[in-house]
C-alpha cells in the first residue's frame, strides 16, 4: 500500500498550465482548419435565380374592385400613388416602376426596399405630365436577393391600365 | 368472514407481514390459517406490484418516445424560422426567445419549490405536456394567419413545457421507478436521440415537400391547400399531448408532504438564497464560474435563436434545400451527444477541469465564427459539430468542477440562485444582442458572439488557472 502511494506521489501529471496551452493550440488549429477548408469546396452548384423568381409574386391592392393606383397634380408637379402587395414567397428588396405615358415612358427604380411576405407597400412617385404625357399603363417589376445579389424578376411583373384620378 | 378478511388486509398495509403474524396470533386465530392468509396476500401483493411496475415502465417509455418525436418535429430551429417568416423581425425573434428562456427558468424554480410542499400529481405534469402540445397548434395557426403576436404568445406558452420534461418530471420518474430499470428505460437516452434525429429529418423533408405557400390538393371534388409546417407541427402537438396523456396514468407512490404556505416558502427560499450568495461568491473560483456561465448562456441563447434562420435564408436553394439543410446539420450535432460525455469525463481526469472548460469554450466559439468567416454548408456542418462537442465538454466539466468545489447543499443553492440572478442580465443583454442583429445583420452578430466567448469568457478560466496553478488539478 505504501509502495503504491510512493509511486503515485512520484508520478507527475500534466500541469494545468501546460494542459491549457496544449488545448488552446489544438482548438486554434482546429478552428483555423474549419474556417479555411470549406471555402475551396463548392458542392452547392449555382442557386437558380429563376427558381427563386418563380416564388415571387406581386399584386395591386384592390378596394371595391378598383385597383389602388391613382394619379394627381398637373404639369411638372404631377404624382402617382399606388399600393402593391407581396403575395409570393420571397421578400421583395426593390422595385422597377414603368409608367407608360402618351409621349414617353418613365422608368423609376426604387431601391433599399423591403416588402415582407404578405405585407403591402404604399408609395408616391413624382410624375412630369409635361414630359411624359397622360398615363396609359403602369408596370411593376420586383427585385429580390439571390446569393446576396439583387436580381430582377422581369417575368413576375404586374401591369395595370385602369388608373384613376386622385380626389 | 369477509369482514375479518377486510380487517386483515388493513393490517397488512400498515406493518410487515411477520409483525402482523405475531399481532394476529395474539388475537387467538389459528396459526396455520394465519400463515396461509399471509402467504396468499403476500403473493397477490407481489404480483400486483410487478404488474404496476411493468405498466409504469410501458407508460414512461411511451411518454419518452412521444416526447422525442415532438422535439424532432417541433425543433427550436424550425420554430424560429417560421416565426421569422410570419413577419417577426430579428429583434422580435431574439427578444421572444430570451423571454422564453427566462420563463422556463422561473417556472422550473417555482415548480421545484412547490413540489417540496405539495404533492405535484402526475396528472398536472401530464397536463403541462398537453399545453406544450397545444402551443404548436397555435404556432401553426399564427404562421397561417401571419400573426406575429399570436406566434409570440404560443411560443411563450410553450415554455410551460419545462415542467413536463424538466426536474419535476425527473423527480417523479425517480420516485416511481426502481433503481434497476428495465432495458427499455435504461437506454432511452440513446434511443431517444435516434428518434429525435429521425423526426427532425422527417420534419424538414415534410416542410420542403409541402412549402409554405400551400400545395393544392383535391379531395372529393373539394380543393384544399396543405402546408408542410402545419403537418409537422400537428405531429409535434399530437406527440406532446399523447406523452402527457400517458404520464397521467402512471401509478405513483404516496409521499407525505409538509403543508405550509407556498408563497411563504418561496419567499423564505429567496431570502435564504440572498443570504447564501455572498458566502458563495466570496470564493473567487465560484464567482468566476458564475459570471462565465452567465455570459456563455446568453451567447448560446442569442446564437441559437438565429442559426436556423441564417442557414435557411442562405442555403434555401442549394445542397439539400430549405428546411432539410437545417435538419441535416442539427442531426449531425445531435449525434455528438452519443460520445461527447465519455470523451469529456476521460479528458477531464487527464487534463483537469479548468483546462477542459477553456477548451470547451474555444470549441463553442468556432461555431459562430464559421458562420461569419466561411458560410459554406460543409464547413458550417463541421463547425456546428465542433460547437456542440464544445458545449458538452463545458457542461460536463462545469458539473464536475461544481461537485469538487461545493457540498451538495451549496450546489443546490448555487443552481437555484443562478436561475434567479440571470433574469436581469438576460432581460438587458438579450434584447441588446437582438437589436445588434436587427441593425448589423446576423453574420456580424455571430462574429461578436464568437469574440465574446474568446475574449471575455476564456480569460475568466485562464485567470483561475494562473492563480491556482498547483500540482493538484482542479
Amino acid at each position: 500500500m505504501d509502495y503504491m502511494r510512493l509511486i503515485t506521489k512520484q508520478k507527475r501529471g500534466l500541469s494545468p498550465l501546460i494542459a491549457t496551452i496544449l488545448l488552446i493550440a489544438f482548438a486554434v488549429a482546429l478552428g483555423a482548419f474549419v474556417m479555411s477548408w470549406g471555402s475551396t469546396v463548392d458542392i452547392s452548384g449555382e442557386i437558380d435565380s429563376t427558381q427563386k423568381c418563380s416564388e415571387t409574386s406581386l399584386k395591386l391592392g384592390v378596394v371595391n374592385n378598383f385597383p389602388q393606383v391613382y394619379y394627381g397634380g398637373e404639369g411638372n408637379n404631377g404624382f402617382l400613388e399606388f399600393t402593391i402587395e407581396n403575395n409570393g414567397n420571397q421578400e421583395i428588396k426593390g422595385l422597377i416602376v414603368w409608367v407608360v405615358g402618351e409621349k414617353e415612358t418613365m422608368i423609376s427604380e426604387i431601391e433599399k426596399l423591403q416588402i415582407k411576405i404578405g405585407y403591402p407597400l404604399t408609395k408616391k412617385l413624382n410624375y412630369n405630365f409635361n414630359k411624359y404625357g397622360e398615363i396609359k399603363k403602369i408596370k411593376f417589376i420586383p427585385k429580390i436577393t439571390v446569393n446576396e445579389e439583387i436580381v430582377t424578376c422581369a417575368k413576375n411583373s404586374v401591369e395595370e391600365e385602369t388608373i384613376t384620378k386622385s380626389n | 368472514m369477509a369482514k375479518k378478511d377486510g380487517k386483515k388486509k388493513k393490517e397488512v398495509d400498515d406493518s410487515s407481514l411477520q409483525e402482523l403474524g405475531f399481532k394476529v396470533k395474539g388475537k387467538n386465530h389459528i396459526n396455520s390459517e394465519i400463515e396461509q392468509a399471509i402467504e396468499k396476500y403476500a403473493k397477490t401483493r407481489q404480483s400486483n406490484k410487478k404488474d404496476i411496475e411493468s405498466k409504469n415502465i410501458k407508460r414512461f417509455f411511451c411518454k419518452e418516445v412521444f416526447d422525442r418525436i415532438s422535439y424532432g418535429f417541433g425543433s427550436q430551429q424550425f420554430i424560429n424560422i417560421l416565426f421569422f417568416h410570419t413577419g417577426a423581425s430579428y429583434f422580435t425573434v431574439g427578444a421572444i426567445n430570451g423571454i422564453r428562456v427566462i420563463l422556463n427558468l422561473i417556472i422550473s424554480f417555482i415548480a421545484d419549490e412547490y413540489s417540496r410542499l405539495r404533492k405535484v400529481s402526475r396528472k398536472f405534469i401530464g397536463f403541462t405536456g398537453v399545453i406544450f402540445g397545444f402551443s404548436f397548434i397555435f404556432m401553426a395557426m399564427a404562421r397561417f394567419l401571419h400573426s406575429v403576436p399570436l406566434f409570440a404568445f404560443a411560443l411563450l406558452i410553450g415554455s410551460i413545457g419545462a415542467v413536463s420534461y424538466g426536474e419535476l418530471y425527473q423527480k417523479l420518474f425517480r420516485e416511481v421507478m426502481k433503481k434497476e430499470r428495465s432495458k427499455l428505460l435504461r437506454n432511452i437516452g440513446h434511443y431517444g436521440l435516434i428518434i429525435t434525429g429521425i423526426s427532425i429529418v422527417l420534419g424538414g423533408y415534410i416542410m420542403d415537400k409541402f412549402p409554405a405557400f400551400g400545395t393544392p390538393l383535391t379531395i372529393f371534388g373539394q380543393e384544399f391547400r396543405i402546408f408542410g409546417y402545419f403537418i409537422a407541427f400537428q405531429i409535434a402537438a399530437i406527440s406532446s399531448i399523447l406523452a402527457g396523456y400517458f404520464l397521467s396514468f402512471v401509478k405513483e407512490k404516496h409521499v407525505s408532504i409538509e403543508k405550509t404556505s407556498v408563497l411563504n416558502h418561496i419567499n423564505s427560499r429567496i431570502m435564504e438564497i440572498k443570504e447564501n450568495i455572498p458566502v458563495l461568491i466570496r470564493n473567487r473560483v465560484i464567482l468566476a464560474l458564475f459570471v462565465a456561465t452567465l455570459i456563455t448562456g446568453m451567447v448560446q441563447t442569442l446564437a441559437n435563436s438565429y442559426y436556423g434562420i441564417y442557414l435557411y435564408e442562405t442555403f434555401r436553394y442549394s445542397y439539400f434545400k430549405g428546411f432539410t439543410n437545417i435538419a441535416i446539420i442539427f442531426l449531425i450535432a445531435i449525434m455528438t451527444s452519443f460520445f461527447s460525455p465519455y470523451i469529456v469525463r476521460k479528458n477531464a481526469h487527464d487534463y483537469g477541469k479548468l483546462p477542459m472548460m477553456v477548451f470547451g469554450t474555444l470549441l463553442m466559439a468556432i461555431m459562430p465564427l464559421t458562420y461569419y468567416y466561411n458560410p459554406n454548408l460543409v464547413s458550417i456542418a463541421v463547425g456546428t459539430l465542433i460547437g456542440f462537442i464544445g458545449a458538452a465538454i463545458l457542461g460536463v466539466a462545469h458539473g464536475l468542477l461544481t461537485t469538487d468545489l461545493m457540498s451538495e447543499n451549496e450546489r443546490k443553492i448555487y443552481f437555484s440562485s443562478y436561475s434567479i440572478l440571470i433574469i436581469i442580465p438576460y432581460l438587458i443583454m438579450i434584447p441588446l444582442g437582438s437589436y445588434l442583429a436587427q441593425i448589423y445583420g446576423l453574420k456580424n452578430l455571430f462574429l461578436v458572439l464568437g469574440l465574446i466567448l474568446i475574449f471575455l469568457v476564456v480569460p475568466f478560466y485562464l485567470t483561475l488557472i494562473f492563480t491556482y496553478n498547483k500540482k493538484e488539478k482542479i
Side-chain angles (χ1 to χ4, degrees):
Chain A
M1 198 62 176
D2 288 337
Y3 182 67
M4 290 298 288
R5 248 186 245 136
L6 190 66
I7 289 174
T8 49
K9 258 191 177 173
Q10 286 174 344
K11 191 179 171 188
R12 295 186 61 176
L14 203 58
S15 147
L17 260 178
I18 296 172
T20 309
I21 292 165
L22 281 174
L23 290 170
I24 289 174
F26 179 69
V28 168
L30 189 62
F33 173 72
V34 170
M35 281 177 246
S36 61
W37 165 60
S39 60
T40 57
V41 175
D42 182 20
I43 58 171
S44 66
E46 281 194 15
I47 292 172
D48 192 2
S49 58
T50 317
Q51 192 177 354
K52 218 169 169 185
C53 272
S54 67
E55 289 186 1
T56 307
S57 176
L58 275 180
K59 106 180 163 162
L60 269 167
V62 171
V63 175
N64 292 332
N65 293 324
F66 281 101
Q68 298 295 289
V69 192
Y70 305 103
Y71 69 90
E74 52 187 25
N76 295 340
N77 299 317
F79 67 86
L80 192 68
E81 193 172 343
F82 57 85
T83 301
I84 48 165
E85 296 169 11
N86 181 356
N87 65 340
N89 208 34
Q90 284 294 325
E91 202 169 281
I92 291 168
K93 295 291 193 184
L95 214 53
I96 301 174
V97 184
W98 285 19
V99 184
V100 181
E102 277 179 345
K103 293 177 189 173
E104 254 185 77
T105 300
M106 179 181 96
I107 301 173
S108 180
E109 278 204 46
I110 308 171
E111 287 171 12
K112 289 188 184 170
L113 201 64
Q114 190 187 34
I115 313 175
K116 284 187 176 179
I117 300 164
Y119 280 70
L121 172 79
T122 303
K123 197 93 183 161
K124 198 172 179 178
L125 292 176
N126 294 329
Y127 186 76
N128 189 341
F129 283 97
N130 292 338
K131 186 177 176 187
Y132 300 107
E134 289 301 312
I135 301 172
K136 285 160 59 178
K137 185 165 84 172
I138 188 165
K139 184 172 174 176
F140 301 96
I141 303 168
K143 286 171 153 184
I144 57 173
T145 312
V146 177
N147 276 345
E148 296 183 351
E149 281 182 17
I150 301 288
V151 162
T152 305
C153 301
K155 286 184 179 174
N156 301 75
S157 60
V158 68
E159 297 179 0
E160 184 56 56
E161 290 177 9
T162 309
I163 303 154
T164 46
K165 191 172 165 70
S166 173
N167 296 328
Chain B
M1 195 57 190
K3 270 189 186 176
K4 275 188 186 172
D5 285 341
K7 200 175 172 182
K8 273 187 193 168
K9 192 176 177 180
K10 195 191 172 204
E11 285 170 336
V12 166
D13 287 334
D14 292 336
S15 58
S16 73
L17 295 172
Q18 205 177 19
E19 281 176 29
L20 172 68
F22 289 131
K23 280 182 190 172
V24 176
K25 271 178 195 168
K27 292 182 183 177
N28 300 322
H29 292 284
I30 301 166
N31 274 358
S32 60
E33 272 188 11
I34 293 164
E35 275 160 22
Q36 245 183 352
I38 290 172
E39 203 183 309
K40 189 183 171 187
Y41 188 71
K43 274 185 188 163
T44 318
R45 196 173 150 195
Q46 195 68 13
S47 78
N48 279 349
K49 242 180 152 178
K50 275 187 185 165
D51 210 25
I52 292 170
E53 176 90 2
S54 152
K55 282 183 182 167
N56 278 348
I57 288 170
K58 285 178 192 159
R59 284 164 188 153
F60 271 119
F61 179 74
C62 288
K63 199 262 182 209
E64 292 285 337
V65 167
F66 282 114
D67 264 344
R68 303 290 197 264
I69 292 172
S70 148
Y71 301 156
F73 280 98
S75 159
Q76 194 57 44
Q77 300 306 328
F78 294 160
I79 291 172
N80 290 335
I81 295 165
L82 291 173
F83 193 19
F84 180 65
H85 286 172
T86 305
S89 62
Y90 289 149
F91 176 78
T92 311
V93 171
I96 296 292
N97 270 291
I99 294 171
R100 183 184 58 82
V101 166
I102 292 169
L103 270 178
N104 256 337
L105 289 166
I106 294 174
I107 290 171
S108 299
F109 174 77
I110 293 174
D112 192 41
E113 295 306 322
Y114 185 86
S115 69
R116 289 171 207 271
L117 297 179
R118 301 274 189 277
K119 177 86 185 106
V120 178
S121 73
R122 81 268 191 234
K123 282 191 178 171
F124 172 74
I125 301 173
F127 181 64
T128 58
V130 171
I131 296 177
F132 183 57
F134 272 103
S135 72
F136 286 109
I137 296 175
F138 286 126
M139 279 189 249
M141 278 167 55
R143 175 65 184 92
F144 179 74
L145 298 169
H146 286 287
S147 169
V148 171
L150 178 62
F151 203 110
F153 173 73
L155 197 55
L156 294 176
I157 288 290
S159 59
I160 202 162
V163 177
S164 75
Y165 52 79
E167 186 51 40
L168 218 57
Y169 164 70
Q170 300 301 328
K171 226 186 243 180
L172 173 74
F173 188 86
R174 282 191 299 268
E175 274 171 16
V176 172
M177 300 307 299
K178 276 186 186 170
K179 275 186 187 169
E180 284 175 20
R181 292 168 218 145
S182 71
K183 270 188 193 170
L184 272 179
L185 288 178
R186 236 181 288 144
N187 296 323
I188 192 62
H190 286 128
Y191 302 146
L193 284 171
I194 296 171
I195 295 169
T196 306
I198 294 170
S199 306
I200 202 172
V201 171
L202 275 176
Y205 175 75
I206 288 171
M207 285 199 263
D208 285 336
K209 184 82 182 153
F210 304 103
F213 48 78
T215 305
L217 189 74
T218 312
I219 301 173
F220 305 120
Q222 290 290 324
E223 200 180 277
F224 297 98
R225 285 195 159 257
I226 48 171
F227 305 92
Y229 63 82
F230 215 83
I231 299 171
F233 274 23
Q234 290 302 318
I235 295 172
I238 291 166
S239 302
S240 264
I241 290 168
L242 281 173
Y245 176 73
F246 276 110
L247 187 66
S248 65
F249 287 106
V250 162
K251 292 264 181 285
E252 50 195 334
K253 290 177 187 160
H254 291 284
V255 176
S256 63
I257 297 283
E258 189 188 332
K259 294 221 170 197
T260 58
S261 158
V262 177
L263 273 173
N264 284 344
H265 174 80
I266 290 177
N267 279 335
S268 67
R269 191 85 176 101
I270 292 174
M271 292 308 297
E272 189 190 334
I273 290 169
K274 262 192 197 169
E275 281 162 18
N276 283 300
I277 287 169
V279 174
L280 271 179
I281 61 176
R282 237 175 267 157
N283 183 330
R284 286 172 64 180
V285 180
I286 297 175
L287 176 64
L289 209 62
F290 183 87
V291 176
T293 310
L294 175 75
I295 298 172
T296 310
M298 278 195 300
V299 163
Q300 274 192 301
T301 304
L302 265 174
N304 283 334
S305 304
Y306 299 115
Y307 283 140
I309 295 172
Y310 180 79
L311 282 170
Y312 185 85
E313 296 300 315
T314 312
F315 303 109
R316 198 167 175 175
Y317 295 100
S318 53
Y319 301 96
F320 302 99
K321 314 245 188 319
F323 287 97
T324 315
N325 280 332
I326 290 118
I328 298 293
I329 295 221
F330 284 92
L331 170 71
I332 295 168
I334 286 166
M335 293 303 140
T336 62
S337 309
F338 275 115
F339 52 84
S340 354
Y342 169 74
I343 294 174
V344 176
R345 281 198 183 88
K346 174 104 182 39
N347 287 306
H349 184 263
D350 292 338
Y351 292 103
K353 288 143 197 116
L354 274 173
M356 287 304 288
M357 292 180 81
V358 169
F359 184 55
T361 311
L362 286 173
L363 291 188
M364 279 178 69
I366 289 176
M367 187 171 166
L369 290 176
T370 310
Y371 279 67
Y372 179 79
Y373 283 110
N374 196 8
N376 171 295
L377 200 78
V378 175
S379 54
I380 282 176
V382 176
T384 305
L385 179 81
I386 292 171
F388 270 65
I389 292 173
I393 291 173
L394 190 62
V396 175
H398 180 265
L400 292 171
L401 192 60
T402 52
T403 312
D404 281 351
L405 291 174
M406 297 179 251
S407 65
E408 198 183 318
N409 202 35
E410 282 174 337
R411 272 205 310 281
K412 281 185 186 167
I413 294 168
Y414 172 80
F415 287 113
S416 307
S417 51
Y418 178 83
S419 309
I420 297 179
L421 290 177
I422 65 162
I423 292 173
I424 293 174
Y426 267 44
L427 280 174
I428 297 167
M429 299 309 292
I430 289 177
L432 192 66
S434 310
Y435 182 70
L436 276 174
Q438 182 71 39
I439 303 296
Y440 297 108
L442 295 184
K443 271 180 89 169
N444 291 321
L445 177 75
F446 293 142
L447 175 66
V448 167
L449 294 177
L451 294 176
I452 285 174
L453 286 174
I454 294 172
F455 294 112
L456 213 58
V457 178
V458 167
F460 273 107
Y461 301 132
L462 286 175
T463 317
L464 293 173
I465 292 169
F466 288 127
T467 312
Y468 294 97
N469 183 22
K470 293 175 184 170
K471 281 178 191 170
E472 303 91 55
K473 293 183 206 125
I474 48 164

